[in-house]
């Protein structure tokens, strides 16, 4: 496949290698991609918009919980917001590969702004009902079907292949840094003047990314050859991924985690309200502490020169273990403290998967691959959120959180063994300076060391 003008892809790795194209030496500083003007405009616009997004997330979850008193209703809202990605995500990727990214993003960002402003009007006038929130969540989900893969793949056009890893990591740090501010502001607004103001400010925040998109210099972009209209493009993208185990299994892993383990609106709102009997401030605190860890994880990824699949597996195992530990925490302070490392390892999973997929994928199908990734990751929420909401309502928040962690650990262990077997590796146990050491080594490593008969 053509790599497109000015956007050569990273060499496709051996599908049976446990490393990806990310294993090249690091040549960039932590913030090197911000030297590029177009990316800097994109980044700054997203800073403002992401703060508004987090404000709306907190306000939306808390408003639903206040109106219904049900964690399952929060789960339904989450499900409706991500259901379009599950149903239409792949078609969104086909469109993104055909369309110019910048005008596409201007349309989707405008649609999301109007949705938030409509919800703000309903809430501020006292007319809001639960079904209004459901409709708004569904509308945002429909815009996300195209917006998400377009934003993901547009990054490569902004910075080029040499800065892609750094830019993806900084995008994640950007989003999670906003999580430090957004929930805190949302908590003040909810307790002070009401949830409607959070929706209003989020709608107005889209002015920043729209302005950044308009100010970009077209001549400084790294254009990618767009896919022509034709039959079978969806199947072509699926075949491309199916033939690459290094793409398939990370997508499967984050799919399970997104479905059952990343349902934080359900889990954290239930812990804040039912377990620790706090209010919106406690819920916002949990999200803020997770953001502290997430920002640290994203910045570490920006500095890291390699991102091996084994790092993804280890982070997923640690994530599951931390969820189980948090579920068993008897005190508020202990639960809150665990949110920091939980955020760090969750971001390690997200950034490692996202960056490896983008670096290892041909630009001509990148929109479809990223749409599949986002469809599986975000689209799993419509399936998982009502389930974990029901488990949480029926058996308690502790059981629901522990089940999510157990699923994450189990899937990570199974996929880790599959990747190791595909890569011709085996698990090795040993000692290093008096400490136990577990690692993967080539399956014939022992034979190579044995003396000849």
């Amino acid at each position: 496949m053509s790599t497109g003008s000015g956007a050569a892809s990273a060499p496709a790795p051996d599908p049976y290698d446990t490393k990806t194209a990310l294993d090249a030496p690091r040549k960039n500083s932590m913030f090197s991609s911000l030297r590029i003007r177009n990316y800097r405009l994109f980044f700054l616009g997203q800073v403002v918009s992401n703060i508004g997004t987090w404000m709306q997330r907190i306000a939306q979850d808390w408003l639903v919980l206040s109106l219904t008193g049900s964690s399952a209703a929060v789960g339904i809202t989450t499900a409706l917001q991500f259901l379009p990605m599950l149903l239409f995500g792949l078609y969104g990727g086909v469109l993104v590969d055909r369309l110019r990214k910048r005008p596409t993003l201007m349309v989707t960002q405008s649609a999301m702004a109007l949705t938030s402003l409509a919800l703000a009007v309903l809430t501020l006038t006292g007319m809001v009902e639960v079904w209004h929130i459901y409709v708004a969540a569904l509308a945002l989900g429909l815009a996300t079907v195209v917006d998400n893969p377009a934003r993901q793949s547009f990054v490569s056009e902004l910075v080029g292949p040499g800065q892609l890893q750094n830019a993806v990591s900084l995008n994640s740090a950007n989003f999670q840094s906003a999580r430090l501010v957004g929930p805190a502001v949302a908590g003040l607004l909810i307790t002070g003047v009401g949830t409607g103001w959070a929706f209003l400010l989020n709608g107005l925040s889209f002015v920043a990314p729209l302005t950044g998109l308009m100010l970009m210099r077209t001549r400084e972009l790294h254009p990618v050859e767009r896919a022509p209209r034709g039959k079978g493009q969806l199947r072509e993208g699926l075949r491309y991924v199916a033939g690459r185990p290094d793409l398939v299994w990370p997508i499967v892993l984050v799919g399970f985690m997104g479905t059952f383990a990343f349902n934080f609106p359900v889990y954290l709102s239930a812990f804040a309200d039912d377990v620790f009997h706090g209010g919106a401030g406690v819920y916002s605190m949990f999200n803020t502490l997770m953001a502290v860890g997430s920002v640290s994880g994203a910045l570490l990824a920006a500095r890291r020169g390699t991102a091996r699949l084994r790092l993804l597996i280890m982070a997923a195992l640690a994530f599951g273990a931390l969820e189980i530990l948090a579920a068993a925490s008897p005190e508020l302070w202990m639960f809150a403290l665990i949110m920091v490392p939980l955020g760090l390892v969750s971001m390690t999973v997200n950034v490692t998967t996202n960056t490896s997929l983008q670096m290892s994928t041909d630009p001509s199908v990148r929109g479809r691959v990223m749409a599949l990734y986002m469809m599986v990751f975000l689209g799993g929420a419509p399936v998982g959120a009502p389930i974990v909401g029901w488990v949480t309502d029926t058996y308690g928040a502790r059981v629901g959180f522990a089940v999510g962690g157990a699923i994450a650990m189990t899937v990570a262990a199974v996929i880790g063994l599959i990747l190791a077997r595909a890569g011709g590796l085996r698990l090795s146990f040993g000692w290093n300076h008096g400490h136990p050491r577990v690692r993967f080594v080539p399956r014939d490593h022992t034979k190579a060391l044995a003396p000849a008969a």
Side-chain angles (χ1 to χ4, degrees):
M1 295 183 183
S2 171
T3 59
S5 175
S9 68
D14 183 346
Y16 298 104
D17 192 352
T18 56
K19 297 187 290 183
T20 71
L22 298 173
D23 291 314
R26 179 173 60 86
K27 299 179 181 179
N28 302 318
S29 66
M30 182 181 291
F31 302 103
S32 57
S33 55
L34 288 176
R35 300 189 189 107
I36 301 170
R37 179 181 182 275
N38 282 345
Y39 178 72
R40 190 163 60 248
L41 288 169
F42 178 82
F43 184 90
L44 293 174
Q46 291 300 307
V47 168
V48 178
S49 182
N50 286 336
I51 291 174
T53 296
W54 278 111
M55 289 169 58
Q56 172 143 335
R57 283 192 178 189
I58 301 301
Q60 175 180 280
D61 297 339
W62 200 256
L63 181 58
V64 171
L65 193 64
S66 300
L67 291 173
T68 66
S70 169
S71 294
V74 178
I76 291 171
T77 307
T78 303
L80 287 171
Q81 188 162 338
F82 297 119
L83 181 63
M85 182 64 73
L86 178 63
L87 297 178
F88 310 117
L90 290 176
Y91 296 98
V94 172
L95 284 175
V96 166
D97 281 335
R98 291 177 181 172
L99 300 173
R100 289 187 298 155
K101 307 299 186 297
R102 184 159 58 144
T104 300
L105 286 171
M106 293 183 72
V107 172
T108 57
Q109 295 279 294
S110 298
M112 296 166 82
L114 290 174
T115 302
S116 300
L117 292 173
L119 187 57
V121 170
L122 288 169
T123 307
L124 290 172
T125 57
M127 299 172 61
V128 70
E129 298 180 18
V130 174
W131 71 269
H132 292 143
I133 306 172
Y134 289 166
V135 171
L138 183 62
L140 286 172
L142 289 170
T144 302
V145 167
V146 177
D147 184 82
N148 219 312
R151 277 190 297 108
Q152 299 281 347
S153 54
F154 188 49
V155 174
S156 65
E157 296 188 27
L158 292 170
V159 301
Q163 297 283 355
L164 182 57
Q165 178 184 349
N166 182 263
V168 170
S169 298
L170 288 182
N171 282 350
S172 298
N174 184 334
F175 187 70
Q176 297 302 327
S177 296
R179 194 175 180 180
L180 293 171
V181 179
V185 175
L188 293 174
L189 289 173
I190 292 170
T191 56
V193 294
T195 54
W197 290 96
F199 300 141
L200 177 62
L201 291 178
N202 179 48
L204 296 176
S205 73
F206 284 95
V207 172
L210 288 170
T211 302
L213 289 168
M214 288 187 289
L215 291 176
M216 288 179 184
R217 297 170 180 163
T218 303
R219 66 180 182 275
E220 295 179 8
L221 294 174
H222 299 257
V224 173
E225 182 179 338
R226 286 180 282 155
R229 295 179 66 91
K231 295 182 179 180
Q233 290 179 319
L234 183 58
R235 291 191 298 272
E236 178 189 14
L238 292 174
R239 282 196 301 269
Y240 180 85
V241 174
R244 298 279 300 277
D246 60 315
L247 302 181
V248 170
W249 291 113
I251 290 175
V252 171
L253 174 59
V254 298
F256 272 97
M257 295 184 70
T259 301
F260 298 106
F262 281 179
N263 283 285
F264 298 118
V266 177
Y267 294 136
L268 299 187
S269 62
F271 267 87
D273 192 43
D274 300 332
V275 177
F276 298 118
H277 308 293
V282 173
Y283 179 47
S284 297
M285 179 187 68
F286 291 158
N287 282 276
T288 301
L289 289 171
M290 276 200 71
V292 172
S294 297
V295 171
S296 301
L299 292 177
L300 286 174
R303 289 180 59 91
R304 195 162 45 235
T306 61
R308 301 169 184 263
L309 291 180
R310 70 182 182 189
L311 174 63
L312 172 62
I313 299 301
M314 295 299 293
L317 288 169
F319 177 86
L322 286 169
E323 279 203 342
I324 294 173
L325 182 62
S329 300
E331 301 292 339
L332 172 61
W333 68 267
M334 188 181 299
F335 183 89
L337 190 62
I338 295 173
M339 293 299 101
V340 177
L342 188 66
L344 189 151
V345 294
S346 68
M347 184 50 52
T348 301
V349 170
N350 290 341
V351 171
T352 303
T353 306
N354 189 316
T355 313
S356 64
L357 292 178
Q358 292 212 50
M359 292 288 290
S360 303
T361 300
D362 191 297
S364 63
V365 294
R366 186 173 286 147
R368 279 164 282 181
V369 172
M370 296 311 296
L372 176 61
Y373 162 61
M374 298 309 300
M375 184 193 77
V376 172
F377 181 46
L378 299 179
V383 177
I387 295 174
V388 300
W390 175 82
V391 171
T392 299
D393 280 342
T394 305
Y395 299 102
R398 295 188 185 279
V399 172
F401 212 21
V403 168
I407 291 174
M409 288 190 71
T410 301
V411 175
V414 170
I415 291 178
L417 292 174
I418 291 172
L419 287 171
R421 185 174 181 82
L425 303 176
R426 65 175 180 82
L427 200 61
S428 172
F429 298 91
W431 293 86
N432 182 31
H433 301 294
H435 300 286
R437 183 180 185 183
V438 181
R439 59 176 179 159
F440 285 105
V441 298
R443 198 173 287 138
D444 57 355
H445 182 66
T446 304
K447 294 180 181 179
L449 294 179

